């Protein structure tokens, strides 16, 4: 059994015992060092874990995937540990585990693993080794299993796009949207990126074009019939766009769907407008539109380990080639010296700010543990 | 070259030269006997041709499939001949045609063939021989290429249902709906049939159950949460229904979609509510719903002659086994002795009645020609 001296430490996790607003129900809980790992499991140390929008929904109790109750502290009631995505380092390996070594970086393929913690024991099959590569930072690794694979899978699993073919997406400034722009550009696809009208539109357009966006338009622009005609007639030689990616729904998505051509796919992965996806039935009947949803958690459940390793390798290669940037971010470190009270307050405060929409950047948690 | 003496006759067709309400723009036009068929074509005599709802939309000019302009009378301006579906008898066969004999029954696999006419010359590849069978009437044959294959394809092409598995459909009293009930029953599938609340609900329920419907409910019934819970929990053992068929759209279809389970397909073939298909995005993302459209015209375009022959054989077999009844119908005969003026008025009158919703029954045209 491999062993690393630094394993003996006190740990901490961000937990909750009942659903509610994260700024109300989250707290920090210190727990004892992990025992040596059981067969087929590994002890890992989380290096960095993001706060994703869906994490908020999980804590609120309105997301379809729920974490399991966990006993972190003997005699203490069981808790839910927050966090779905994260980068960890392998600290200690149980018997029967192959393909992992102490010091390896791993990411989670089991959802709701409780990544907002310092160290955990996990099933060896629930993590995936993340190959190291030049330029691959902890931030890349910690944000590698949800948004970039969502973008890659949506771009490749439904329609086989040729070089210079168009894909249209809304919410183009989202984390997935930015990954879509970069991955599409790396494959020679053109992207039509739709965003809300906003004061800093020019700045945002420049930012997205720097990432590789071909065109950036607002939803309001689509009201201009001569423009939409031009998109269909000139840009796509009358064929319309064959792939649309949706994280908005509501009326703006209905307008976007009119840009789609024969046999197109509309792939939804979110509904930021909180309105339904409403489409003319004629698009389905006469244009053979297929409307589907994509959920990366389902992809992990329904694919083999080999598929998952290939997916990670593809994304790591893109990072190494400089074609997939880490998201704009800010790291909140919870130092080991903080009391649980102080640590919990820091976390609740950051969620209050996120709820107010004060963060355009991705926030990642770095939860230190005492040696 | 085969030949039948009765071919030499004057013909008549129901035509229009501009789009509009059928009760306004349709007229009858007499044209001369057909010349002998060119190679690879056949001369056919229409025995019976239905008036389908989509035919009205074609004449109005609001349907995606449009007939070609045809010259029926020398020196007369070209016209559009109405009618998409129909049963014909082969009268004369051009050189190079195989697999067809004089006297054979044929149906149309090319859309908008102009079936509201007495005799026409058609490409041999645009018709399909309809096998004769005990109990197969002209009405069956004339209504065999649109509604029953739509029902059969929707029931079998998307989800592989097992015996006793449920399918839910709205507009269950439509021609397709009634075919769905019968074909589903013949395969051992259970049907949940949704219809509008109406004074004669009990009578309609009895009629649909006589056809093989398992359950008949109204859209209003779906507002009852305890009933929908029962459908999902008790009827489908918590799995939900895997196939939904939609010809209504609008809010009632949103309610229907909530009965669907994981990995279900919602197949749309109409939108009688004239409202969009509006669905919660979460159904797509978390329940893996796929929403598609079905159009039998596209099926014919994208399938082989062998596929089409198998489809017709399957339907004819169902008729022969007494498992697929002809629709309730009324035949409007246009006698050869009528002048074009009188004939045209009869046709316009029937369309005026159809537009007023006075026909629950399918109306079929029998256009006689003079000997």
């Amino acid at each position: 059994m491999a062993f690393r001296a630094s394993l003996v430490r006190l740990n901490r996790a961000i937990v909750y015992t009942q659903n509610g607003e994260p700024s109300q129900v989250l707290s920090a809980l210190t727990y004892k060092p992990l025992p040596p790992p059981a067969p087929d499991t590994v002890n890992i140390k989380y290096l960095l874990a993001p706060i994703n929008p869906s994490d908020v929904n999980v804590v609120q109790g309105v997301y379809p995937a729920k974490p399991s109750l966990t006993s972190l502290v003997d005699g203490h009631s069981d808790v839910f540990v927050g966090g779905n995505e994260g980068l960890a380092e392998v600290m200690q390996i149980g018997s029967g585990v192959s393909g992992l070594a102490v010091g390896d970086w791993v990411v989670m393929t089991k959802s709701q693993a409780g990544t907002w913690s310092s160290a955990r024991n996990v099933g060896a099959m629930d993590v995936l080794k993340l190959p190291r590569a030049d330029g691959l930072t902890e931030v890349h690794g910690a944000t590698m299993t949800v948004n970039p694979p969502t973008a890659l899978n949506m771009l490749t699993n439904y329609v086989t796009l040729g070089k210079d073919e168009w894909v249209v997406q809304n919410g183009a400034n989202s984390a997935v949207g930015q990954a879509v722009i970069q991955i599409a550009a790396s494959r020679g696809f053109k992207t039509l990126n739709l965003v809300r009208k906003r004061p800093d539109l020019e700045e945002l357009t420049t930012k997205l074009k720097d990432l590789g966006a071909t065109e950036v338009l607002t939803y309001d622009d689509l009201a201009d019939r001569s423009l939409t005609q031009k998109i269909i007639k000139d840009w796509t030689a009358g064929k319309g766009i064959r792939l649309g990616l949706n994280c908005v729904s509501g009326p703006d998505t209905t307008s976007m769907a009119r840009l789609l051509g024969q046999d197109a796919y509309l792939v939804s992965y979110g509904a930021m407008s909180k309105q339904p996806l409403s489409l003319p039935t004629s698009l389905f009947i006469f244009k053979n539109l297929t409307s589907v949803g994509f959920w990366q958690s389902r992809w992990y459940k329904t694919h083999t380990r080999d598929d998952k390793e290939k997916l990670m390798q593809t994304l790591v290669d893109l990072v190494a080639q400089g074609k997939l940037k880490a998201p704009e971010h800010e790291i909140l470190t919870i130092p080991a010296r903080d009391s649980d009270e102080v640590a919990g307050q820091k976390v609740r405060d950051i969620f209050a700010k996120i709820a107010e929409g004060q963060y355009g950047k991705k926030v990642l948690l770095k939860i230190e543990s005492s040696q």
Side-chain angles (χ1 to χ4, degrees), chain A:
Chain A
M1 186 190 295
F3 187 83
R4 181 169 272 203
S6 62
L7 181 75
V8 180
R9 62 176 78 197
L10 283 181
N11 291 302
R12 183 143 56 191
I14 306 303
V15 305
Y16 57 105
T17 53
Q18 57 184 19
N19 292 124
E21 281 308 309
S23 61
Q24 304 283 332
V25 301
L26 292 181
S27 62
L29 179 66
T30 290
Y31 57 100
K32 62 182 181 186
L34 302 177
D40 302 322
T41 73
V42 291
N43 285 350
I44 60 174
K45 174 178 83 169
Y46 283 107
L47 302 175
L48 208 53
I51 297 171
N52 288 318
S54 58
D55 294 329
V56 174
N57 301 133
V58 171
V59 178
Q60 288 167 332
V62 298
Y63 197 74
K66 297 182 194 306
S68 312
L69 274 172
T70 307
S71 167
L72 288 177
V73 179
D74 292 342
H76 188 283
S77 60
D78 288 356
V79 294
F80 300 109
V81 181
N84 174 56
E85 191 179 27
L87 175 70
E89 186 181 327
V90 176
M91 302 299 288
Q92 205 175 355
I93 297 176
S95 63
V97 174
S98 64
L100 286 176
V102 168
D104 278 352
W105 275 6
V106 291
V107 290
M108 313 299 114
T109 58
K110 185 187 177 188
S111 66
Q112 307 306 328
T115 57
W116 298 343
S117 50
S118 56
R120 298 294 296 279
N121 174 254
V122 295
M125 296 308 285
D126 295 334
V127 298
L128 206 61
K129 179 177 170 174
L130 190 72
R132 301 285 181 103
D134 282 348
L136 184 80
T137 63
E138 286 189 3
V139 175
H140 279 120
T143 57
M144 194 62 111
T145 55
V146 178
N147 296 328
T150 296
L152 176 62
N153 280 319
M154 293 195 304
L155 280 171
T156 55
N157 292 1
Y158 301 96
V159 175
T160 305
L161 294 174
K163 198 169 146 35
D164 287 332
E165 255 202 280
W166 286 89
V167 51
V168 60
Q169 67 166 338
N170 57 27
N173 191 35
S174 70
V176 171
Q178 293 189 32
V180 163
I181 290 170
Q182 295 175 80
I183 297 171
S186 79
R187 302 201 166 207
F189 310 151
K190 290 179 173 172
T191 52
L192 169 51
N193 299 280
L194 301 172
V195 295
R196 271 178 294 112
K197 205 171 165 180
R198 61 185 81 206
D200 61 344
L201 179 61
E202 206 171 323
E203 203 178 310
L204 176 61
T205 300
T206 303
K207 181 181 112 180
L208 297 183
K209 288 197 169 179
D210 284 349
L211 286 176
T214 316
E215 295 285 349
V216 179
L217 295 174
T218 68
Y219 304 120
D220 296 354
D221 290 337
L222 294 188
D224 177 354
R225 280 268 163 188
S226 67
L227 175 64
T228 57
Q229 288 301 309
K230 186 178 153 189
I231 292 170
I232 293 172
K233 288 206 173 145
D234 299 345
W235 296 13
T236 68
K239 288 179 191 162
I241 299 174
R242 290 202 296 144
L243 181 62
L245 308 180
N246 165 44
C247 65
V248 175
S249 291
D252 289 335
T253 306
T254 310
S255 309
M256 181 177 90
R258 293 187 198 283
L259 301 175
L260 298 175
Q262 199 70 31
D263 305 325
Y265 272 75
L266 179 63
V267 187
S268 295
Y269 64 98
M272 290 195 295
S273 71
K274 299 191 176 169
Q275 291 183 281
L277 180 58
S278 186
L279 298 167
T281 316
S282 57
L283 289 186
F284 292 105
I285 303 176
F286 302 123
K287 290 184 102 175
N288 202 25
L289 174 69
T290 301
S291 173
V292 296
F294 183 80
W295 192 23
Q296 186 59 36
S297 298
R298 183 172 52 244
W299 190 95
Y300 285 124
K301 272 190 198 156
T302 55
H303 284 74
T304 65
R305 199 162 178 82
D306 191 43
D307 289 335
K308 293 171 198 172
E309 283 170 0
K310 277 183 192 151
L311 180 81
M312 283 303 131
Q313 189 65 56
T314 301
L315 294 171
V316 166
D317 289 348
L318 284 171
V319 170
Q321 293 158 23
K323 292 176 178 170
L324 185 59
K325 293 184 172 58
E328 293 177 273
H329 61 273
E330 183 173 311
I331 294 172
L332 175 66
T333 301
I334 307 290
R337 67 172 179 277
D338 282 355
S339 67
D340 279 350
E341 287 67 32
V342 169
Q345 192 59 51
K346 281 182 179 170
V347 171
R348 289 191 295 276
D349 287 349
I350 202 96
F351 273 96
K353 282 188 185 172
I354 289 171
E356 287 165 14
Q358 290 190 27
Y359 276 92
K361 295 177 183 174
K362 175 82 54 192
V363 180
L364 300 108
L365 298 177
K366 190 171 193 73
I367 300 175
E368 294 183 345
S369 57
S370 61
Q371 302 265 337

